[in-house]
Amino acid sequence: MNNFDFKNPTKIIFGKDTIKNLENEIPKDAKVLLLYGGGSIKKNGIYEQVKSALAKVDVVEFGGIPANPEYAVLLEALAIIKKENITYLLAVGGGSVIDGTKFLASAALYEGETPWDILSQHIRTEKGMPFGTVLTLPATGSEMNSGAVITRAETKEKLAMGGPGLFPEFSILDPQVIASIPKRQLANGLADAFTHVLEQYMTYPVEALLQDRFAESILQTLIEVAPKVLKDPTDYKASANFMWSCTMALNGLIQKGVPTDWAVHAMGHELTALFGIDHARTLAIITASHYTYNFETKKEKLAQYGERVWQITEGTLEEKAHAAIVKTEAFFKGLDIDTKLSDYTDDYEGTAEEIAKRFTNRGWVALGEHQSLSPDKVQEIVKMAY
Ligand code: NZQ
Ligand code: ZN
């Protein structure tokens, strides 16, 4: 097992009818900016619950943060933070609203001229404006981690940021919010969380027995609850397990002491930036190609995953590892998620070259758990995913 530090300061308030607890979490003297997305919270009753919990606090609102939170829109919110002397941010939404809020928490205290530098120059946020979240869509784990991914339409970029100053102070997770989520977004959440676990697991063995079993148990739970949640998102038991699995998949715990990959996400973000494909779907496009291309370095963990998660007992290590890739792709397809780029766009020629070029320009020349994934390899993998 590798050495590690672990600190996660986010308070989780989990369960039925917990949104009202907001009242106890936000400082009474705060001036709050309530941030939300395209308006789903106004249709499903979450907005009313939040507003009544905030009745005694001074609140300004900013709605309209789009999926794949857009820099230009966030700059409008930043202007409000400055004009209204906001002291506390509250995100009510999925990963996009929470990530947008993290950007604002950082940008509000940033002293440089252009907040985009935080993303383009990888400026780590040591201190941000304090914020909390009410999660409305289980998927990203953003409610309990310190990362964010921001899109800039103008330049077709989608870049990550983060730092210890960007953990939410608290996150409220009421699984009842899942009842109103459309099937497409439920499938996205399942696929995203599943891939988060894979990125931190599908590398090479380091005798981290507990981390491996944490990861496998999250995968097994997602596989078990996926059909139930998709069939009936009002099934509280399934929804609660789905929600907590998504949080645990990316709150830092399972990656401690083990190598991590994250190349599927790096390639996937480019597909969102170039084509606007939903985040989770970009991961489903890349995963099988990535594992097939890197088969030799990943086959031990692929076989272990095949045995323990998919109960593949027959065959050699290589055969089990191959069967595990097939099972993974079938899992995505079972969620009604297409796994080839050409399923999403006819305009895919040249994509692999473009992504390889972008990685080269950014100096991303050594991705993956062995820091061996160079842009020419990325190009091959993306091509295999056409
Ligand atoms: O905008 P509204 O109207 O609220 O609708 C949203 C949006 O259209 C809707 N929705 C959310 N909760 C709902 C609901 N509809 C009905 N009922 C509810 N309870 O769902 C749509 C998608 O929301 P979004 O927040 O975009 O989805 P998700 O949570 O999947 O977030 C995706 C974003 O997170 C980033 C992705 O790159 C993408 O930009 N990620 C963030 C990560 C992190 N911070 O750790 C890690 C991930 O790997 C990922 O990159
Ligand atoms: Zn993801």
Side-chain angles (χ1 to χ4, degrees):
M1 199 190 296
N2 303 332
N3 293 4
F4 63 87
D5 293 351
F6 183 47
K7 178 175 178 180
N8 189 316
T10 301
K11 173 176 176 181
I12 295 293
I13 300 165
F14 189 99
K16 245 179 210 174
D17 303 327
T18 45
I19 295 176
K20 58 178 183 296
N21 295 18
L22 254 182
E23 193 178 356
N24 310 322
E25 300 303 321
I26 294 186
K28 298 280 173 286
D29 58 350
K31 181 148 187 196
V32 177
L33 183 61
L34 162 59
L35 295 136
Y36 59 92
S40 70
I41 63 165
K42 297 212 166 155
K43 295 187 203 124
N44 55 21
I46 296 174
Y47 178 79
E48 281 75 24
Q49 293 179 62
V50 168
K51 284 295 274 189
S52 70
L54 292 178
K56 293 186 196 138
V57 193
D58 192 359
V59 182
V60 178
E61 293 182 24
F62 185 88
I65 297 177
N68 305 311
E70 164 57 34
Y71 179 64
V73 175
L74 295 170
L75 289 184
E76 294 171 29
L78 184 60
I80 294 175
I81 290 173
K82 300 212 159 145
K83 181 165 161 266
E84 301 280 346
N85 297 315
I86 297 294
T87 63
Y88 203 99
L89 306 176
L90 177 66
V92 182
S96 294
V97 172
I98 300 176
D99 282 10
T101 301
K102 288 177 176 175
F103 167 77
L104 292 169
S106 176
L109 306 190
Y110 181 63
E111 284 171 358
E113 225 155 80
T114 316
W116 186 251
D117 295 346
I118 302 168
L119 291 130
S120 63
Q121 297 175 18
H122 315 290
I123 296 172
R124 206 172 121 97
T125 304
E126 299 294 338
K127 188 174 180 331
M129 181 172 281
F131 69 100
T133 90
V134 175
L135 180 67
T136 67
L137 171 53
T140 64
S142 189
E143 66 278 7
M144 199 180 176
N145 68 39
S146 60
V149 194
I150 304 298
T151 296
R152 190 173 187 180
E154 190 192 350
T155 51
K156 289 200 172 169
E157 285 173 285
K158 182 171 167 101
L159 296 177
M161 58 178 284
L166 292 182
F167 282 100
E169 290 203 325
F170 68 87
S171 284
I172 297 184
L173 277 56
D174 180 345
Q176 294 173 119
V177 300
I178 293 167
S180 64
I181 301 174
K183 253 206 173 84
R184 166 174 153 185
Q185 300 299 344
L186 291 170
N188 285 352
L190 289 158
D192 192 23
F194 198 85
T195 313
H196 292 160
V197 178
L198 293 179
E199 296 269 34
Q200 302 164 91
Y201 171 94
M202 205 61 76
T203 57
Y204 53 90
V206 291
E207 297 289 319
L209 306 184
L210 182 61
Q211 290 89 326
D212 279 2
R213 290 198 168 89
F214 278 151
E216 290 151 1
S217 65
I218 298 170
L219 296 172
Q220 287 170 312
T221 308
L222 289 167
I223 291 166
E224 184 175 334
V225 300
K228 296 180 191 165
V229 168
L230 288 172
K231 185 163 168 252
D232 179 13
T234 67
D235 175 342
Y236 183 83
K237 284 184 208 157
S239 297
N241 283 292
F242 169 37
M243 193 171 230
W244 188 227
S245 295
C246 292
T247 303
M248 288 301 289
L250 195 50
N251 66 0
L253 178 71
I254 67 169
Q255 72 181 15
K256 293 300 160 187
V258 298
T260 59
D261 182 350
W262 292 112
V264 173
H265 271 67
M267 291 180 258
H269 288 331
E270 299 306 320
L271 297 180
T272 302
L274 290 166
F275 301 106
I277 301 169
D278 291 353
H279 169 64
R281 284 160 206 259
T282 68
L283 309 175
I285 293 169
I286 299 291
T287 299
S289 300
H290 183 59
Y291 293 163
T292 303
Y293 186 86
N294 294 292
F295 188 78
E296 278 309 310
T297 56
K298 289 183 183 287
K299 64 184 179 188
E300 277 84 12
K301 288 303 283 285
L302 277 165
Q304 179 181 314
Y305 154 76
E307 279 173 16
R308 294 189 187 176
V309 175
W310 293 110
Q311 286 79 46
I312 299 166
T313 50
E314 303 285 310
T316 61
L317 182 137
E318 279 77 10
E319 284 163 350
K320 287 178 188 164
H322 275 300
I325 299 176
V326 173
K327 282 281 191 188
T328 309
E329 196 157 21
F331 175 68
F332 293 137
K333 291 216 169 105
L335 301 173
D336 213 8
I337 292 183
D338 289 321
T339 56
K340 287 286 170 204
L341 183 57
S342 51
D343 296 324
Y344 297 85
T345 173
D346 294 331
D347 192 21
Y348 54 82
E349 287 301 342
T351 304
E353 290 80 357
E354 171 63 21
I355 294 177
K357 194 170 88 195
R358 287 175 165 216
F359 282 18
T360 306
N361 291 343
R362 290 189 206 132
W364 294 7
V365 294
L367 301 184
E369 66 272 21
H370 294 290
Q371 289 84 52
S372 61
L373 205 69
S374 48
D376 57 313
K377 294 178 182 167
V378 164
Q379 189 169 318
E380 291 300 312
I381 293 166
V382 176
K383 223 168 237 174
M384 282 165 68
Y386 284 179

